[in-house]
Amino acid sequence: MLERDGYRVDIRTKAHRGADGSPVPVIEGLAFTLPERAFTSVIGPSGCGKTTTLRILTGLDTAYDGAIDARFGDARIAVAFQEPRLLPWRTVAQNVALALPPGAERAARVAEALADVGLDGLGERYPSQLSLGQARRAALARAFAVRPDILFLDEPFVSLDESSAQHLRQLLLNLWARYRVTILMVTHNVREAVQLSDHIILLSQRPARVVDVVEVTLARNERDAESTTRFSQELAALYPTIVAL
Amino acid sequence: MADTSSLAPPRTAPRRIVPARTLAGALSVAAFFAVWMLGTWWMGPRLCPSPAAVFAFIVRETASGELPAELGITLARVAAAFVIAMTIGTAAGLLMGRSRLANTIGEPWLILLLNAPALIVIVLAYIWIGLTETAAIMAVAINKIPNVTVTIREGARAMDPQLTEMARIYRFSRRQMLTEVMLPQLQPYIAAAARSGIALIWKIVLVVELLGRSNGVGFQIHLYFQLFDVRAILGYTLAFVAVMLVVEFAVLQPWERRASRWRGGAR
């Protein structure tokens, strides 16, 4: 299905501890290959274990049964979380600089990263002085500044108004095209996934397993509101329990 | 500690409230001196010397250099004990707040130290270490460490795991994790521990000096107690309280304001 080389993921089981101490299975048989330099999205019913998957792939959670590509550990990774997760006591520029590996040309990299996301001139602000949209941009600037091999996005545009979200999606696509990183995005929003992705991984209800990997066959320059919606509707018709419009 | 700037009263209010408050404050201070003078009148100048006599003593002893010297010695002990207590207490609190194992191991020690009367710690320190400066400062620090630990442990437990995760993803060094992620979150707790720490330490330092040192404010008060010189006792007390107020307003509060600069931002 995915002919290109990629990062292999095979999480056989993952359980959380329930309120009464008994294990609650979250993931059962989650296997896919994350193609390099492609934009892949993960969609599934809410609470199905998408964020847990991200935590495993980013190395934050190691208590699972299965195997993930060793290159996940070696790769330089970046994450844009649901919340921007900026250090509130550091300025925007300092927040970006802190993520950079030691020895990098910090000042220049920071300035470039902020310019990339249209935050030039706001580097001296504290995160509390930014709007949510600006804070999300700052988080994206930080993510791209580290020149990641893999970028993970956890519902990065949630709770933004549609026009700001649309701006940021376009920005993300531009940066992705420029830096050619491998992207894995978790989202609830099917249209967003269709608009941005090369592939969409569909997850089942909890415990999560891969139901299908769909290739978005729309050419990138033809992805307007209409074609995106049509593709999403077809997807929803095929997988009514997973894809909600 | 709380940021009250966003709770500013309506625009017309300050003009009326501030003078009223100042007046109430002034009245309260005046009442204090009135009670003092009443005491002088009641007990006589030997048992309760008048404010004027006490201030004259402070001025004379300051001019002779004795009072500043003794104050300096005591202040140095306060500073040393404070730094030791804050460092050890913060490290222990951080460890106990972050690690369940450390908490289990540390808990009995903490309970023991929290409930050990200051006097016993001081006496044992002098017996075991000797009547030395080290014993004096350690005794004061040990009295304060458990309070710092408890406060910082609270802060360590309240830290935002999301920021820790972010820092791990971006491979912050251990030093960065501490100085950029953890300590700023602990700052309000450190400030609270520092404030109550200073208040406790300077009181215990006087007892330590009284019991086993031959200089410092505590020793002087002991000396003048034996001479029954109430004027000198009150003079030393007032001078010392004044110095601690200066520390509070000139050191602690500006540091807190600086450390919480980032909170002020308005959208």
Side-chain angles (χ1 to χ4, degrees):
Chain A
M1 190 162 15
L2 299 171
E3 68 288 351
R4 265 185 293 178
D5 241 14
Y7 299 89
R8 269 173 253 285
V9 175
D10 184 9
I11 305 167
R12 280 189 288 277
T13 52
K14 163 73 194 172
H16 285 321
R17 204 150 288 282
D20 57 351
S22 60
V24 179
V26 186
I27 296 172
E28 251 171 39
L30 194 102
F32 62 90
T33 302
L34 183 63
E36 276 181 68
R37 302 188 195 290
F39 197 129
T40 307
S41 291
V42 175
I43 281 191
S46 57
C48 78
K50 299 187 292 280
T51 299
T52 306
T53 308
L54 271 198
R55 290 175 53 83
I56 289 174
L57 297 185
T58 51
L60 292 174
D61 192 337
T62 53
Y64 63 94
D65 184 23
I68 60 171
D69 210 311
R71 288 181 299 157
F72 277 111
D74 303 333
R76 179 167 293 154
I77 61 170
V79 182
F81 300 93
Q82 271 179 41
E83 318 76 24
R85 298 202 194 180
L86 302 164
L87 297 174
W89 40 85
R90 290 284 174 246
T91 63
V92 172
Q94 286 169 334
N95 263 287
V96 176
L98 276 167
L100 295 178
E105 271 290 325
R106 288 187 176 225
R109 284 272 280 274
V110 171
E112 188 192 1
L114 291 180
D116 276 350
V117 299
L119 283 183
D120 19 0
L122 298 186
E124 294 314 304
R125 293 232 185 141
Y126 285 100
S128 61
Q129 296 167 311
L130 300 179
S131 67
L132 178 62
Q134 288 171 325
R136 288 261 163 82
R137 281 168 194 262
L140 271 185
R142 175 174 65 187
F144 277 99
V146 306
R147 303 278 188 274
D149 301 311
I150 313 171
L151 170 60
F152 296 95
L153 301 162
D154 189 359
E155 306 205 27
F157 310 120
V158 78
S159 65
L160 286 175
D161 61 86
E162 189 44 36
S163 85
S164 313
Q166 202 52 37
H167 266 106
L168 276 183
R169 287 184 197 119
Q170 197 51 53
L171 178 69
L172 174 64
L173 280 182
N174 293 343
L175 292 171
W176 171 65
R178 188 178 323 158
Y179 296 110
R180 302 310 299 178
V181 298
T182 304
I183 290 186
L184 182 66
M185 177 175 77
V186 161
T187 180
H188 274 115
N189 185 332
V190 189
R191 282 193 196 82
E192 176 176 281
V194 171
Q195 184 193 347
L196 298 176
S197 319
D198 298 312
H199 313 279
I200 300 175
I201 299 171
L202 299 171
L203 297 190
S204 68
Q205 299 270 13
R206 187 151 141 175
R209 60 187 169 73
V210 175
V211 172
D212 197 1
V213 179
V214 177
E215 193 164 345
V216 183
T217 47
L218 296 171
R220 286 206 172 261
N221 55 9
E222 285 167 11
R223 294 188 188 182
D224 51 20
E226 196 190 327
S227 62
T228 312
T229 304
R230 191 152 12 91
F231 196 96
S232 305
Q233 281 164 345
E234 286 165 15
L235 211 53
L238 274 172
Y239 299 101
T241 56
I242 298 166
V243 180
L245 285 174
Chain B
M1 209 160 39
D3 179 14
T4 52
S5 62
S6 56
L7 302 170
R11 207 167 275 177
T12 50
R15 208 175 282 174
R16 296 175 45 184
I17 284 173
V18 169
R21 253 193 220 154
T22 318
L23 191 68
L27 273 176
S28 174
V29 173
F32 170 74
F33 282 104
V35 169
W36 185 347
M37 277 149 84
L38 200 68
T40 308
W41 172 77
W42 186 259
M43 295 187 262
R46 195 169 124 74
L47 285 184
C48 184
S50 69
V54 171
F55 282 115
F57 171 84
I58 293 177
V59 169
R60 202 186 63 222
E61 293 293 299
T62 305
S64 79
E66 199 185 350
L67 182 106
E70 302 293 343
L71 269 181
I73 289 166
T74 300
L75 219 54
R77 287 184 186 132
V78 167
F82 176 77
V83 169
I84 293 172
M86 287 302 291
T87 310
I88 297 179
T90 301
L94 201 51
L95 209 62
M96 288 177 73
R98 302 297 291 170
S99 147
R100 202 169 290 180
L101 179 67
N103 191 51
T104 311
I105 295 171
E107 189 75 33
W109 294 76
L110 196 60
I111 290 171
L112 183 77
L113 285 175
L114 270 174
N115 292 293
L119 189 61
I120 290 173
V121 174
I122 296 166
V123 168
L124 287 180
Y126 277 142
I127 291 173
W128 288 337
I129 304 178
L131 288 172
T132 62
E133 203 60 48
T134 314
I137 289 170
M138 281 316 295
V140 179
I142 288 171
N143 271 304
K144 179 56 201 167
I145 286 170
N147 304 62
V148 179
T149 303
V150 168
T151 308
I152 301 298
R153 181 175 63 177
E154 213 55 50
R157 285 176 178 164
M159 279 199 282
D160 184 357
Q162 295 199 335
L163 292 179
T164 315
E165 286 179 3
M166 181 281 293
R168 277 175 61 191
I169 298 264
Y170 287 112
R171 298 182 186 166
F172 280 32
S173 65
R174 288 174 84 86
R175 198 184 58 79
Q176 284 177 324
M177 190 66 112
L178 186 68
T179 60
E180 305 289 336
V181 182
M182 291 188 174
L183 288 183
Q185 292 185 74
L186 286 181
Q187 190 266 333
Y189 295 88
I190 294 174
R195 174 151 307 154
S196 72
I198 283 283
L200 184 70
I201 281 173
W202 79 260
K203 287 168 190 164
I204 297 178
V205 161
L206 295 199
V207 179
V208 167
E209 289 177 340
L210 183 147
L211 285 175
R213 298 277 75 207
S214 55
N215 51 21
V217 175
F219 173 77
Q220 292 298 323
I221 286 175
H222 184 46
L223 185 73
Y224 286 118
F225 171 57
Q226 284 168 339
L227 299 174
F228 220 76
D229 187 343
V230 183
R231 190 184 52 160
I233 292 173
L234 289 179
Y236 267 100
T237 310
L238 274 190
F240 195 57
V241 170
V243 169
M244 296 319 293
L245 281 179
V246 168
V247 170
E248 163 82 24
F249 286 112
V251 182
L252 280 183
Q253 288 195 4
W255 170 71
E256 255 191 274
R257 265 200 300 278
R258 209 182 144 269
S260 51
R261 233 175 350 169
W262 56 272
R263 285 178 210 273
R267 289 245 160 130

